[in-house]
Coordinates of all heavy atoms in Angstrom, one line a residue:
Chain A
K311 N -75.6 10.7 -73.7 CA -75.6 11.8 -72.6 C -76.2 13.1 -73.1 O -76.6 13.9 -72.3 CB -74.0 12.2 -72.4 CG -73.2 11.2 -71.7 CD -71.9 11.7 -71.5 CE -71.1 10.6 -70.7 NZ -69.6 10.9 -70.8
I318 N -80.5 4.7 -78.7 CA -79.5 4.3 -79.7 C -79.8 2.8 -80.1 O -79.8 2.0 -79.2 CB -78.1 4.6 -79.4 CG1 -77.8 6.1 -79.2 CG2 -77.2 4.0 -80.4 CD1 -76.4 6.4 -78.9
V326 N -78.7 -4.0 -77.0 CA -77.9 -4.0 -75.8 C -78.4 -2.8 -74.8 O -78.5 -1.7 -75.2 CB -76.5 -3.8 -76.1 CG1 -75.6 -3.9 -74.7 CG2 -75.9 -4.8 -77.0
R332 N -80.7 -1.6 -61.4 CA -81.6 -0.8 -60.5 C -81.0 -0.4 -59.3 O -80.3 -1.2 -58.7 CB -82.9 -1.4 -60.6 CG -83.7 -1.5 -61.9 CD -85.0 -2.1 -61.6 NE -85.7 -2.3 -62.9 CZ -86.4 -1.4 -63.7 NH1 -86.4 -0.2 -63.0 NH2 -86.9 -1.6 -64.7
Y334 N -82.5 -0.3 -56.4 CA -83.0 -1.3 -55.6 C -83.3 -2.4 -56.4 O -84.0 -2.3 -57.4 CB -84.2 -0.9 -54.7 CG -84.9 -1.8 -53.9 CD1 -84.3 -2.3 -52.6 CD2 -85.8 -2.7 -54.4 CE1 -84.8 -3.1 -51.9 CE2 -86.4 -3.8 -53.6 CZ -85.9 -3.9 -52.4 OH -86.3 -4.9 -51.7
G364 N -55.7 16.4 -24.0 CA -54.4 16.9 -23.7 C -54.2 17.6 -22.3 O -55.2 17.5 -21.6
E377 N -48.6 20.7 -32.9 CA -49.0 19.4 -33.7 C -50.4 19.8 -34.4 O -51.3 20.1 -33.8 CB -49.3 18.2 -32.7 CG -49.3 16.9 -33.6 CD -49.7 15.7 -32.5 OE1 -49.1 15.8 -31.4 OE2 -50.4 14.9 -32.9
M411 N -59.4 26.5 -58.9 CA -60.2 25.3 -58.9 C -61.7 25.7 -58.9 O -62.7 25.2 -59.5 CB -60.1 24.5 -57.4 CG -58.8 23.7 -57.6 SD -58.5 22.9 -56.0 CE -59.7 21.6 -56.0
D418 N -62.2 26.1 -68.4 CA -62.4 25.1 -69.3 C -63.9 25.1 -69.8 O -64.8 24.5 -69.1 CB -62.0 23.8 -68.8 CG -62.1 22.6 -69.7 OD1 -62.6 22.9 -70.9 OD2 -61.7 21.4 -69.5
S420 N -65.3 23.7 -72.4 CA -65.7 22.6 -73.2 C -66.9 21.9 -72.7 O -67.3 22.1 -71.4 CB -64.6 21.5 -73.4 OG -64.2 21.2 -72.1
Chain B
L263 N -86.1 4.6 -56.0 CA -85.5 3.4 -55.6 C -85.3 2.3 -56.6 O -84.3 1.7 -56.9 CB -86.0 2.6 -54.4 CG -85.8 3.2 -53.0 CD1 -86.6 2.4 -52.0 CD2 -84.3 3.1 -52.7
R264 N -86.4 2.3 -57.5 CA -86.4 1.3 -58.6 C -85.8 1.8 -59.9 O -85.7 1.1 -60.9 CB -87.9 0.8 -58.9 CG -88.4 0.0 -57.6 CD -87.8 -1.4 -57.6 NE -88.2 -2.2 -58.7 CZ -87.5 -3.4 -59.0 NH1 -86.5 -3.6 -58.3 NH2 -87.9 -4.0 -60.0
Y351 N -66.3 18.4 -64.2 CA -66.2 19.6 -63.5 C -66.8 20.7 -64.5 O -67.0 21.8 -64.2 CB -64.7 20.2 -63.1 CG -63.9 20.1 -64.3 CD1 -63.8 21.1 -65.2 CD2 -63.1 19.0 -64.5 CE1 -62.9 21.0 -66.3 CE2 -62.2 18.9 -65.5 CZ -62.2 19.9 -66.5 OH -61.3 19.8 -67.6
R352 N -67.1 20.2 -65.7 CA -67.6 21.2 -66.9 C -69.0 20.9 -67.3 O -69.6 19.8 -67.0 CB -66.7 21.2 -68.0 CG -66.5 19.6 -68.5 CD -65.3 19.5 -69.3 NE -65.3 18.0 -69.6 CZ -64.9 17.6 -70.8 NH1 -64.4 18.4 -71.7 NH2 -64.9 16.3 -71.0
R354 N -72.8 20.3 -67.7 CA -74.0 20.1 -66.7 C -73.4 19.5 -65.4 O -74.3 19.5 -64.5 CB -75.0 19.2 -67.4 CG -75.8 19.8 -68.3 CD -76.8 18.8 -69.1 NE -75.9 18.0 -69.9 CZ -76.4 16.9 -70.6 NH1 -77.6 16.5 -70.5 NH2 -75.5 16.1 -71.3
W359 N -69.4 19.9 -59.1 CA -67.9 20.3 -58.9 C -68.1 21.5 -57.7 O -67.4 21.4 -56.8 CB -67.3 20.9 -60.1 CG -66.1 21.5 -60.0 CD1 -65.8 22.9 -60.0 CD2 -64.8 20.9 -59.7 NE1 -64.4 23.2 -59.9 CE2 -63.8 22.0 -59.7 CE3 -64.5 19.6 -59.4 CZ2 -62.5 21.7 -59.3 CZ3 -63.0 19.4 -59.2 CH2 -62.1 20.4 -59.1
D382 N -58.0 21.9 -24.8 CA -56.8 21.5 -24.0 C -55.8 22.6 -24.6 O -56.1 23.4 -25.2 CB -56.5 20.0 -24.1 CG -56.3 19.6 -25.6 OD1 -56.5 20.5 -26.5 OD2 -56.1 18.4 -25.9
R388 N -53.8 26.0 -31.2 CA -54.2 25.9 -32.5 C -55.1 27.0 -32.9 O -54.9 27.7 -33.9 CB -54.9 24.6 -32.7 CG -54.0 23.4 -33.0 CD -54.8 22.1 -33.2 NE -54.1 20.9 -33.4 CZ -54.4 19.8 -33.4 NH1 -55.7 19.5 -33.3 NH2 -53.7 18.8 -33.6
V458 N -81.1 2.8 -74.7 CA -80.6 1.5 -75.1 C -79.6 1.9 -76.2 O -79.7 2.7 -76.9 CB -81.8 0.6 -75.7 CG1 -82.7 0.2 -74.7 CG2 -82.6 1.4 -76.8
A459 N -78.7 0.7 -76.3 CA -77.6 0.9 -77.4 C -77.3 -0.5 -77.8 O -77.6 -1.4 -77.3 CB -76.4 1.6 -76.8

Side-chain angles (χ1 to χ4, degrees):
Chain A
K311 285 181 183 172
I318 292 181
V326 184
R332 291 184 187 280
Y334 176 82
E377 196 185 317
M411 280 175 80
D418 182 354
S420 55
Chain B
L263 275 181
R264 292 289 290 162
Y351 52 84
R352 55 199 178 148
R354 281 172 296 174
W359 175 253
D382 54 9
R388 273 181 186 170
V458 288

